Amino acid sequence: GENVEQHPSTLSVQEGDSAVIKCTYSDSASNYFPWYKQELGKRPQLIIDIRSNVGEKKDQRIAVTLNKTAKHFSLHITETQPEDSAVYFCAARRDSSYKLIFGSGTRLLVRP
Amino acid sequence: EAQVTQNPRYLITVTGKKLTVTCSQNMNHEYMSWYRQDPGLGLRQIYYSMNVEVTDKGDVPEGYKVSRKEKRNFPLILESPSPNQTSLYFCASSLSDRFVQPQHFGDGTRLSIL
């Protein structure tokens, strides 16, 4: 069945450094890739998403890149701040399906 | 304010006692979905609904039921809860048109089945 693998499961960086989280998906028909941030005890919140017709999307300090040939996509956070500490989830979905497949999550810790 | 509302937020109950978790959205969204979140497993889809009276199974539907009698409500029913259904549950909704739309999540319901 469809699945999304996410790495690493935990990531610790120094404040100001960059963080990269990678996901690989199995369904080649997937064409929508959102990233969610979940702070402790809170709901997942969409931080950025990308569709398969673009290779990269940027929003201030966060960016997502997509490689459809290799079936992987990555989240890049630059100039990390302590408030970036959270669990990040990637997901994948195709337009013809209502199933959103999530990765297992990455716990990011930004050390002051 | 646009929101997805889940109730209750917390519930401790016993094996076999039927329970319902309600979910309501005020954004006139066609699509609604239920997920469970367990450590190390991310979010897994239980059931989803494309519109009123249209529902389908997600990846982990066993032990759960849903209904969609009204557009705004999508309750999750556990007819005979068991300890392996202890989890954090999220309801989500989104517009449903030709292209996939971002999902809005509720605040979550933490269920403990003893």
Side-chain angles (χ1 to χ4, degrees):
Chain A
E2 308 124 331
N3 75 296
V4 175
E5 292 189 3
Q6 183 171 348
H7 299 282
S9 56
T10 59
L11 179 60
S12 180
V13 300
Q14 194 70 39
E15 181 177 0
D17 288 350
S18 295
V20 180
I21 302 170
K22 299 181 180 180
C23 289
T24 304
Y25 58 97
S26 61
D27 182 2
S28 56
S30 296
N31 56 4
Y32 174 66
F33 308 93
W35 285 90
Y36 289 86
K37 175 183 180 183
Q38 186 179 29
E39 296 175 355
L40 192 63
K42 300 278 184 71
R43 72 181 81 176
Q45 292 201 298
L46 181 73
I47 55 172
I48 195 167
D49 56 12
I50 191 169
R51 299 186 186 275
S52 58
N53 56 346
V54 299
E56 182 173 358
K57 185 176 179 181
K58 193 172 182 179
D59 183 3
Q60 299 182 333
R61 294 187 298 108
I62 60 173
V64 57
T65 58
L66 171 66
N67 183 329
K68 283 216 75 179
T69 303
K71 292 193 286 186
H72 67 69
F73 56 112
S74 300
L75 178 71
H76 305 254
I77 306 174
T78 58
E79 301 170 26
T80 54
Q81 301 165 5
E83 52 263 40
D84 294 329
S85 296
V87 178
Y88 291 80
F89 291 98
C90 63
R93 180 175 159 180
R94 54 164 87 173
D95 276 346
S96 59
S97 168
Y98 288 94
K99 292 181 68 175
L100 187 62
I101 310 297
F102 282 84
S104 54
T106 296
R107 185 174 299 278
L108 174 65
L109 174 64
V110 180
R111 306 186 305 274
Chain B
E1 182 190 349
Q3 58 186 6
V4 179
T5 304
Q6 296 178 227
N7 280 296
R9 294 289 317 280
Y10 305 91
L11 179 63
I12 301 173
T13 187
V14 295
T15 299
K17 186 177 181 183
K18 180 179 178 179
L19 67 91
T20 298
V21 185
T22 63
C23 175
S24 180
Q25 50 91 7
N26 62 0
M27 295 168 279
N28 202 35
H29 285 169
E30 292 88 2
Y31 176 83
M32 298 185 75
S33 182
W34 276 103
Y35 298 88
R36 62 177 287 173
Q37 183 176 18
D38 302 290
L41 297 176
L43 290 108
R44 293 179 293 167
Q45 194 170 40
I46 303 170
Y47 269 96
Y48 58 94
S49 170
M50 293 75 81
N51 214 324
V52 176
E53 302 290 1
V54 184
T55 63
D56 206 351
K57 296 177 181 178
D59 292 318
V60 287
E62 295 79 19
Y64 304 95
K65 284 175 57 177
V66 293
S67 70
R68 188 88 182 274
K69 293 182 170 55
E70 306 165 280
K71 197 172 187 179
R72 64 183 293 125
N73 296 323
F74 190 45
L76 179 70
I77 303 154
L78 284 71
E79 293 270 5
S80 183
S82 61
N84 64 11
Q85 293 178 298
T86 292
S87 187
L88 177 59
Y89 292 84
F90 286 100
C91 179
S93 74
S94 67
L95 285 170
S96 176
D97 59 14
R98 184 160 172 256
F99 299 106
V100 173
Q101 300 291 334
Q103 293 192 28
H104 301 259
F105 284 83
D107 285 327
T109 295
R110 188 168 291 281
L111 284 184
S112 293
I113 316 294
L114 305 178

